[in-house]
Amino acid sequence: YSPKGFTIYLMVGLQGTGKTTTCGKLARWLVKNGKKPMLCACDIYRPAAIDQLEVVGKSVDVPVFTMRESRDPSKIAKAAIREAEKKGLNVLIVDTAGRLQIDEELMEELKTLKKEIRPHEILLVVDALTGQDAVNAAEGFNEALGIDGIIMTKMDGDSRGGAALSTKKVTGRPVKFVGMGEKMDELDEFHPERMAGRILGMGDMMSLIEKAQEDYDEEQASRLEEKIKKNKFTLEDFLDQMGQIRNMGGIAKMLDMLPGVSNNKNMNIEQSEKDFTSFEAIMQSMTKEERDNPTLLNASRRKRIAAGSGQTVQKINQLIKRYEESRKMMKQLNNPKGAARMNKMFKGF
C-alpha cells in the first residue's frame, strides 16, 4: 500500500474464486496493520453480490460503500473514494464483477475502471484448486489488464503450492497473499521459502511462531503459570488450553507447520480434532465444581455428564486420563529436578 495518503486496491478475478470474501480478509489484515479501509461494491451483475459484501464488511467491522441504483462501476468507485476520504479512511478495496471465463466485455469494464480511479495495485484473486485454469486466468488478466499481484485462495494444502509457483512464472507478478481457510483471519502473506519447506516436509516454524505471538493470550498464560506453581491445574485450565490451540488454527494446522510432521501419514490428526470437540462438549456438561475438582467425578456423575454431552462414559474416562497426564507433566515442569530432566531429554533437538 501507499506509505502516505490514500491507497486504492482493485480486486479482480473470475467468478467462484472467493474474491468478495478475500476483500474482507484483506480489509481485516489491513486493520491489523494500522490502516483504516473501506470496501466498495462494484459488482453490479451477480445477484446478491452487494448483500454479500455488506455481510463480509460487517463481519470484519469495516464500512462498505454501495450505490444500488447505479449501473456504472466507475461512478460508484469514484463516489466511494470521495466518501472514504471524507470519513478520514485511507484505503479503498474495490470488489469488481467476475465472469465464468475471461471475455472482452469484462476486460473493457475493468480497463475503464482502472483508467478512471487509477488504483495503486490491481490484485488478481485465483483459486488454487483449479490448477491450470488458475494459471490460465492469471496469464489472461495480466495480458489484458496488467496486474500487480496475486492472491491465491484455498491454499490450505501443501500440494497446491505448484499453482502459486506457476502463476508467478507466467505473469512475472508476485503471489502476495494466500487464503488458508474459510475464516476471515485466514489470509497470510505468501513466503515462497516457507511453502517450499512445507511441501518438502521441512515445516514452517516461522509461521507457527508468528501465529503463536499473534493469538496467544499473555494474561491467560500468566494466570496458568501461577496455577501450575500452586499445583492447581484444573479441568477448566485444560479446556482453556484447548481453546488456545483452536485460536491458533487447530491441531492439524499447528502440526502441519512442524518439521517432519506435515508429511507423517501415520498421525491421526482428524481423530485428534474430533477428540478436542468431544472433550469440549463433556466439560461444558460438567458443573464448575466438577471442573475445578475432578476427583468428584464418580460413576453416577460420569453417567450424567455422558447423557448431557451426548458422549460415552469411555470418552469421559479418556478425557480424565489426558487431563491427569497433562497435570503430571505440569507438576514435573514445576519441580526443579523434573525440569532439569526434561531439559536433558530435549538437549540437542
Side-chain angles (χ1 to χ4, degrees):
Y1 45 75
S2 175
K4 294 181 181 179
F6 196 79
T7 303
I8 302 170
Y9 291 111
L10 185 62
M11 308 290 282
V12 302
L14 296 177
Q15 279 183 10
T17 59
K19 177 160 47 64
T20 299
T21 302
T22 300
C23 287
K25 289 183 177 183
L26 179 60
R28 187 185 186 280
W29 185 88
L30 288 164
V31 169
K32 285 171 62 180
N33 284 272
K35 293 294 179 178
K36 294 183 285 185
M38 172 185 274
L39 296 167
C40 173
C42 281
D43 184 349
I44 58 173
Y45 305 106
R46 185 167 59 88
I50 296 174
D51 294 337
Q52 184 189 354
L53 190 66
E54 286 181 325
V55 170
V56 165
K58 188 175 181 181
S59 71
V60 293
D61 198 24
V62 168
V64 178
F65 183 85
T66 66
M67 284 177 62
R68 291 176 182 272
E69 70 285 357
S70 178
R71 309 300 294 172
D72 184 345
S74 296
K75 181 180 177 182
I76 297 168
K78 283 196 221 176
I81 293 169
R82 292 192 295 270
E83 182 69 13
E85 289 180 328
K86 188 170 84 172
K87 289 185 173 180
L89 306 176
N90 52 23
V91 178
L92 184 70
I93 301 170
V94 181
D95 184 26
T96 63
R99 298 282 195 282
L100 293 175
Q101 60 186 21
I102 294 172
D103 60 31
E104 188 175 342
E105 183 185 2
L106 170 66
M107 287 307 167
E108 284 305 315
E109 181 179 294
L110 292 174
K111 285 177 184 177
T112 300
L113 195 51
K114 176 184 176 181
K115 181 181 176 182
E116 292 291 331
I117 66 173
R118 303 183 64 179
H120 294 84
E121 287 199 3
I122 299 176
L123 298 177
L124 172 68
V125 181
V126 293
D127 180 347
L129 283 175
T130 60
Q132 186 58 43
D133 287 342
V135 178
N136 295 340
E139 188 172 26
F141 272 92
N142 189 51
E143 286 179 359
L145 198 61
I147 63 173
D148 298 290
I150 298 162
I151 299 179
M152 187 81 60
T153 63
K154 302 176 189 173
M155 278 287 285
D156 39 333
D158 297 338
S159 61
R160 301 167 199 175
L165 300 175
S166 298
T167 54
K168 167 71 169 68
K169 184 176 180 181
V170 300
T171 63
R173 303 301 182 193
V175 177
K176 297 202 169 186
F177 293 94
V178 289
M180 301 301 290
E182 295 179 3
K183 295 178 182 176
M184 298 308 291
D185 61 349
E186 292 181 318
L187 182 74
D188 298 338
E189 290 183 79
F190 181 69
H191 300 280
E193 70 285 357
R194 298 185 191 181
M195 180 59 69
R198 291 173 74 171
I199 293 170
L200 296 171
M202 295 162 60
D204 184 0
M205 287 302 294
M206 281 304 298
S207 291
L208 180 59
I209 291 165
E210 287 170 3
K211 189 71 177 166
Q213 288 174 334
E214 178 183 327
D215 291 335
Y216 203 81
D217 187 329
E218 291 185 19
E219 186 179 338
Q220 192 176 19
S222 179
R223 286 198 303 269
L224 178 61
E225 185 180 0
E226 194 61 33
K227 285 192 171 192
I228 292 168
K229 286 178 181 177
K230 295 178 180 177
N231 197 23
K232 290 183 178 179
F233 183 72
T234 67
L235 272 170
E236 190 86 54
D237 300 319
F238 189 55
L239 180 63
D240 285 343
Q241 290 307 293
M242 288 165 57
Q244 289 284 1
I245 292 173
R246 282 285 172 85
N247 289 341
M248 290 175 64
I251 190 170
K253 290 193 177 181
M254 289 176 64
L255 291 177
D256 190 45
M257 296 177 188
L258 292 171
V261 173
S262 59
N263 287 342
N264 187 346
K265 305 301 181 188
N266 296 321
M267 296 192 69
N268 196 340
I269 293 171
E270 187 178 344
Q271 185 57 48
S272 296
E273 292 277 14
K274 286 179 180 177
D275 285 345
F276 271 35
T277 303
S278 298
F279 293 164
E280 220 168 20
I282 289 167
M283 282 193 271
Q284 286 167 356
S285 292
M286 292 179 186
T287 65
K288 188 176 189 309
E289 187 182 22
E290 288 166 342
R291 289 197 294 269
D292 288 343
N293 185 11
T295 58
L296 295 172
L297 296 173
N298 56 26
S300 63
R301 284 178 184 249
R302 294 188 190 206
K303 283 181 183 177
R304 188 206 82 235
I305 293 164
S309 63
Q311 303 296 324
T312 63
V313 171
Q314 287 81 2
K315 185 63 76 173
I316 295 172
N317 294 340
Q318 185 184 350
L319 165 61
I320 299 304
K321 184 181 176 183
R322 295 267 192 99
Y323 158 72
E324 289 293 348
E325 287 171 353
S326 295
R327 193 171 68 89
K328 195 180 294 182
M329 183 178 289
M330 296 294 184
K331 189 175 181 180
Q332 189 175 21
L333 287 171
N334 194 37
N335 184 306
K337 289 183 180 178
R341 282 197 298 272
M342 292 290 282
N343 286 336
K344 189 176 181 180
M345 279 174 59
F346 286 96
K347 189 176 181 181
F349 275 72

